[in-house]
Amino acid sequence: MRETKENPGGKLLSRDVVLVMTAGFCYMACSMIGISLTAGFAAELGASPSATGAIAASMSFISLFCRPFAGILSDKFSKRAVAWGSSSLLLAANIGCCFAKTPLFLTICRTVNGVGFSVISVCIATWMTMMIPISRMGAGMGLYGTINALAMAIGPAAAIKIQSSFGYRASFAFAAALIFAETLIVMFIKNGGSPVGKTAGQTAAGKAKTSSPLANSDQNPNQNPNHDSYQASNQKTAKKIRKPAFLIPNVIEAALIFMIFSVPYFSTQAFVVTYIAAKHSPADAGLFFPCYAITLLLIRIFFRNAFDRHSFTFFVFACGFSMIASLLFLNSAANSAILAVGAFFMACAYGVMSSVTQSKMIEFAGIEHSGQANSTYYIAVDFGMIIGPFITGLIYGSAGIDRIYPILVAIIPAAMIVHFAFVNSGSKKA
């Protein structure tokens, strides 16, 4: 296990890890508030129906192009400094939304939010990978993924409640308060997150003397009983990696698979209320996100060690069949109970695959490239956030509401095809 003076026993849940996860919850909940409210707020400000979709997608669109740079920043600079800088953008953007009076100004605010979100999401995730033991990377990133998933469920639920009682501006004020809390939390993290990439680069160049690849301002190789094994591991990784981590085939595979899983999830997130209403179902659409969050939390509690024991192939198939089951139940949504079952299987599918792919990307890329690996992960999220609602809108408009989930079901086997295509190409073992 990785030891530091802040985490002498190499514990999975050290003080700093808990603080980083809390900061991650705050920024993600803030971001999901904006995603769930932007379209409605734009309409209230006078935007046309077609413009509201474009304004709502502006954050994800700009984030997509900023991700590679976010990975570089996270690998080259102190995580605390990067987090503060990106948090400042998020804080300014959400305060700006509180005072927005035109669709154009709202679009500008959401674009600034997209830049901040793209950087902080990669930064916090990369910071997390520096603090958890290498042998528990799957469990650690799985737990972090669960916190993100809870924020993605709680954020929209809180936003809708606040908006219905106090209006859109109050909801954005709440989002700004969350980001302000995140900046305060970051101040109390002892490990500042100094970059680790330089050491790996020196190793690859064949320098005679090198420090531990896991070393930073708060770490000492003499305190790490596994220093030699980590150094050898990263020497091997550095020799293999000649390009940025997001170009490594294994990382691309995990990103493509996760993007496929993201499409039905974000489609459901954007259209579940509309779908229930159009079907004239008595189901309570508001149950979906709490049921999803509770299920994912229980999975993490009772199956926390499974993430480090099973192969990637196992999760691709298990999560794939769970996603198909979820979409079939959601297609019916005849009552609240069936909707809750759909949410249960969605957590078993997207929620679990979110954790698995993020940890696998870091494993495949190497710890010194974790920033670029995390940027690739969030690029997949961005594509899912853009493609999912877009495809669903096209299906709704052309084929009708009843065709949405059957078509989404047909997309899932593509994840298995991608996986075996990479396995058969010899890029990695299953």
Side-chain angles (χ1 to χ4, degrees):
M1 289 187 178
R2 194 181 319 178
E3 294 190 10
T4 69
K5 64 183 181 183
E6 293 83 18
N7 185 16
K11 297 186 298 183
L12 178 61
L13 287 178
S14 65
R15 174 184 177 276
D16 276 0
V17 167
V18 172
L19 289 174
V20 170
M21 288 195 299
T22 305
F25 177 89
C26 289
Y27 93 77
M28 184 60 76
C30 167
S31 300
M32 293 303 106
I33 287 173
I35 290 173
S36 63
L37 295 180
T38 298
F41 191 30
E44 184 177 274
L45 294 176
S48 66
S50 58
T52 58
I55 295 172
S58 59
M59 188 200 87
S60 300
F61 185 76
I62 194 67
S63 293
L64 182 62
F65 291 98
C66 293
R67 291 297 183 190
F69 303 101
I72 293 172
L73 286 173
S74 296
D75 282 336
K76 299 297 183 182
F77 298 96
S78 160
K79 309 303 178 291
R80 195 195 316 277
V82 175
W84 274 342
S86 53
S87 296
S88 299
L89 293 177
L90 289 172
L91 184 61
N94 283 280
I95 291 176
C97 289
C98 294
F99 297 96
K101 294 185 178 180
T102 65
L104 177 59
F105 188 77
L106 179 62
T107 303
I108 294 172
C109 290
R110 296 303 296 162
T111 301
V112 173
N113 194 101
V115 176
F117 175 73
S118 68
V119 176
I120 196 169
S121 55
V122 174
C123 172
I124 296 295
T126 304
W127 208 348
M128 179 76 175
T129 64
M130 295 177 62
M131 297 179 181
I132 58 179
I134 295 293
S135 61
R136 302 299 305 281
M137 186 64 70
M141 293 311 295
L143 184 58
Y144 178 72
T146 301
I147 296 298
N148 273 349
L150 290 173
M152 293 172 71
I154 294 172
I160 294 170
K161 185 68 175 178
I162 294 173
Q163 185 276 326
S164 64
S165 301
F166 304 102
Y168 287 103
R169 300 180 195 280
S171 293
F172 281 109
F174 176 63
L178 284 171
I179 280 298
F180 182 72
E182 180 268 333
T183 60
L184 294 179
I185 292 169
V186 165
M187 293 175 59
F188 293 97
I189 300 174
K190 293 181 180 179
N191 184 336
S194 298
V196 298
K198 182 178 179 181
T199 303
Q202 291 173 340
T203 302
K207 291 184 180 286
K209 295 182 180 181
T210 121
S211 59
S212 168
L214 303 174
N216 57 36
S217 60
D218 300 308
Q219 292 174 306
N220 186 334
N222 294 328
Q223 295 175 315
N224 187 353
N226 295 325
H227 167 62
D228 292 337
S229 63
Y230 282 126
Q231 186 181 51
S233 174
N234 279 273
Q235 285 176 338
K236 183 178 180 181
T237 301
K239 290 178 181 179
K240 290 182 178 180
I241 298 177
R242 303 294 185 183
K243 301 177 182 179
F246 56 86
L247 294 179
I248 299 173
N250 289 339
V251 175
I252 294 174
E253 176 203 354
L256 287 174
I257 290 173
F258 184 53
M259 184 190 72
I260 294 169
F261 278 85
S262 297
V263 169
Y265 174 78
F266 286 109
S267 296
T268 300
Q269 185 184 59
F271 279 88
V272 64
V273 176
T274 302
Y275 183 81
I276 295 298
K279 296 276 287 186
H280 303 290
S281 170
D284 181 1
L287 285 175
F288 178 84
F289 293 107
C291 290
Y292 172 91
I294 292 171
T295 300
L296 192 57
L297 185 60
L298 293 175
I299 289 173
R300 289 307 316 173
I301 292 174
F302 293 105
F303 300 99
R304 59 186 180 275
N305 295 323
F307 291 85
D308 292 308
R309 293 177 178 173
H310 296 289
S311 68
F312 190 46
T313 300
F314 170 84
F315 284 109
V316 170
F317 277 88
C319 294
F321 287 120
S322 294
M323 179 62 79
I324 291 173
S326 173
L327 297 176
L328 292 177
F329 278 104
L330 290 173
N331 182 61
S332 171
N335 52 54
S336 295
I338 292 178
L339 181 68
V341 175
F344 168 84
F345 280 110
M346 182 66 75
C348 295
Y350 175 83
V352 171
M353 184 54 67
S354 173
S355 301
V356 171
T357 51
Q358 189 171 24
S359 63
K360 287 298 180 183
M361 287 182 195
I362 296 166
E363 176 186 330
F364 297 154
I367 193 67
E368 73 278 10
H369 294 281
S370 58
Q372 290 171 308
N374 280 311
S375 73
T376 308
Y377 170 84
Y378 284 105
I379 285 174
V381 173
D382 290 334
F383 269 114
M385 292 170 66
I386 295 171
I387 296 174
F390 178 75
I391 289 178
T392 305
L394 289 179
I395 297 171
Y396 188 10
S398 59
I401 196 77
D402 292 327
R403 299 292 184 182
I404 290 178
Y405 284 109
I407 292 177
L408 290 177
V409 166
I411 295 175
I412 302 306
M416 303 167 192
I417 294 173
V418 168
H419 175 62
F420 280 112
F422 275 84
V423 171
N424 292 334
S425 70
S427 60
K428 78 173 185 62
K429 295 180 181 180

